[in-house]
Amino acid sequence: MRIGHVLYKVPDLDAAVEQYRADGFDIDYGRAKKPYNALVYFADGSYLEVLGRTGMPAAAKRLFRLFGKHAFIDRLDTWDNADEGLIGLALDIEPHRLDDAVQVLTDTGHGFMRGRSRRTDPQGRTLRFTGVMPDEMQIPFFGSCDTDLSRPSFVHPNGVSGIATVSFGTTAALLPLVEQLCDDERVDVFVGDGVTDLEFTHAAR
């Protein structure tokens, strides 16, 4: 699996969007009405998700807990309550390989939640996504999108063309599993705690 997107939490989404634009990034809200995130897309379809909140209402969270999805809601609560900074890594996988990746979690005894979601972006595209959220937060979540998000040869006004490296920390026990799931050489997996660093590539001038 390769880098799908990296999550960066902000306290004020509108202010963050203004700042990213001032810094030369082409950034768009995730949806036109009541957005809770904004997205910085790169040429290969990966992106930076600037997250103000998860968008899950409190009532829906209580319902998920009622049905035993405590780990899933714990993850969302962690993101909602996080300070500004890098908070998550999502891996992207081809739809025909998704079941094999899920089987890796099953075979190693790790619980997860699998589900489908969709959203309509400001351009009017309906994006459908199948996601897998491991119960263990020190395993990246992953999934597949049915829409090609790549922007061939696209370079942001500031010269950024893509993601160069992401550093993802996990436990020593989970290190082999995370390395098995992620075969993207841009991801530096080490013994640590979550996403600690993100570097961009810049187009030659």
Side-chain angles (χ1 to χ4, degrees):
M1 285 187 276
R2 66 184 186 91
I3 297 171
H5 64 279
V6 179
L7 280 76
Y8 188 92
K9 179 70 185 303
V10 295
D12 184 323
L13 183 61
D14 291 333
V17 168
E18 288 184 10
Q19 186 60 57
Y20 272 87
R21 287 174 176 162
D23 290 341
F25 285 99
D26 180 43
I27 183 171
D28 251 334
Y29 288 104
R31 62 185 186 186
K33 295 182 179 180
K34 297 181 179 179
Y36 55 85
N37 65 356
L39 309 171
V40 178
Y41 288 106
F42 302 110
D44 65 355
S46 63
Y47 59 94
L48 175 66
E49 179 178 2
V50 180
L51 186 70
R53 55 188 174 82
T54 63
M56 175 77 74
K61 287 182 177 180
R62 289 194 295 270
L63 186 61
F64 272 107
R65 287 194 185 278
L66 185 63
F67 283 94
K69 303 300 182 181
H70 300 286
F72 171 59
I73 300 304
D74 286 347
R75 181 187 287 262
L76 298 189
D77 283 343
T78 297
W79 289 346
D80 276 327
N81 297 320
D83 294 330
E84 180 171 358
L86 296 163
I87 59 170
L89 170 65
L91 302 175
D92 185 64
I93 189 170
E94 298 88 345
H96 69 276
R97 295 180 57 206
L98 186 59
D99 287 342
D100 291 338
V102 170
Q103 191 62 48
V104 171
L105 294 179
T106 300
D107 291 345
T108 53
H110 291 285
F112 58 88
M113 178 175 170
R114 178 174 180 169
R116 289 187 59 81
S117 62
R118 68 177 183 178
R119 66 178 174 86
T120 300
D121 68 12
Q123 288 75 42
R125 299 180 301 178
T126 298
L127 310 179
R128 294 176 175 83
F129 183 82
T130 300
V132 177
M133 292 280 194
D135 292 351
E136 172 55 67
M137 285 195 66
Q138 292 203 10
I139 302 174
F141 64 106
F142 58 88
S144 61
C145 181
D146 69 354
T147 303
D148 183 5
L149 300 175
S150 62
R151 309 172 71 179
S153 303
F154 176 78
V155 177
H156 288 270
N158 59 11
V160 171
S161 57
I163 294 174
T165 59
V166 177
S167 298
F168 184 85
T170 187
T171 65
L174 290 173
L175 193 66
L177 171 61
V178 175
E179 290 179 332
Q180 180 181 356
L181 289 172
C182 182
D183 54 8
D184 192 327
E185 294 182 352
R186 296 174 297 172
V187 180
D188 174 29
V189 183
F190 65 100
V191 176
D193 186 16
V195 184
T196 61
D197 192 39
L198 170 66
E199 299 289 339
F200 296 115
T201 56
H202 291 78
R205 295 181 182 272

